[in-house]
Amino acid sequence: MAENLPVVVIGMGRFGSALALELARRGTEVLAIDNRPKIVQGLSGRLTHVITADATDIDALRELGVDEFYRAVVAIGGDLEASILTTSLLAELEIDDIWAKAVTHQHKRILERIGANHIVLPEHDMGERVAHLVSGRMLDYIEVDEDFALIKTRPPREIVGIPLGETRLRSKFGVTVVSVKSIDEPFTYATADTVLQYGDVILVAGPIAKVERLADRT
């Protein structure tokens, strides 16, 4: 029900501004807030509602109607005190769904304790993703949970030319091929009858250690 409700984004640094612009591009109404007039002025022609205000002032947040929003994002990264205080004020205003950017795991734990429902560690997550791509044979890597990932890779030689249902891939490796892309073709769902070829690209889901082990065999 809250999927396309308006969102308030506080902190218009690189992360916050990119998030606000992408939400607006997708048709979500965004209220963007930052305490730096120059930043706000630079975004005024790109976002419909972008305002200069001090988000650590609960009265200022009330005046802007922030307490009427269902979802808010605290995208402040450089000023930990402001990030923590803003998040606590949103919790005090009883915002139902609070997202917050953290710069360290300690920062993350504090934000969780004071009321943030979702924590994003963009620098850490991106570094971890790139490390997987640089060190292995993955074409892409997305960690979807603490110990579960979706990777894009090439099929190992041992499962090429055989229907997936006969490869015993799940029992041998503990992973599942969920989609396949043949040369000059779009991605399509993989089935037990799918026969992989050299040059195909596959999406594989499973525990992180197991998808890594499969990718190392390509």
Side-chain angles (χ1 to χ4, degrees), residues 25-39:
R25 188 189 70 80
R26 292 169 174 262
T28 299
E29 184 179 346
V30 176
L31 170 61
I33 301 172
D34 199 280
N35 63 355
R36 297 164 293 182
K38 187 175 181 179
I39 297 294

Side-chain angles (χ1 to χ4, degrees), residues 106-177:
Q106 183 180 18
H107 185 199
K108 174 184 176 182
R109 287 192 292 270
I110 294 171
L111 292 172
E112 288 172 335
R113 288 172 186 164
I114 62 176
N117 308 101
H118 312 276
I119 311 295
V120 181
L121 281 148
E123 288 83 3
H124 172 271
D125 294 344
M126 181 56 70
E128 189 173 73
R129 177 170 177 246
V130 172
H132 277 88
L133 303 182
V134 170
S135 63
R137 300 189 181 184
M138 301 179 195
L139 303 175
D140 207 347
Y141 172 91
I142 301 173
E143 187 172 318
V144 295
D145 205 349
E146 187 173 337
D147 189 37
F148 200 87
L150 180 70
I151 68 167
K152 181 163 72 171
T153 188
R154 301 286 183 185
R157 181 186 300 271
E158 62 206 87
I159 65 173
V160 169
I162 308 169
L164 279 175
E166 299 177 16
T167 63
R168 299 177 59 222
L169 191 63
R170 189 174 298 181
S171 61
K172 288 165 70 174
F173 291 98
V175 302
T176 301
V177 176

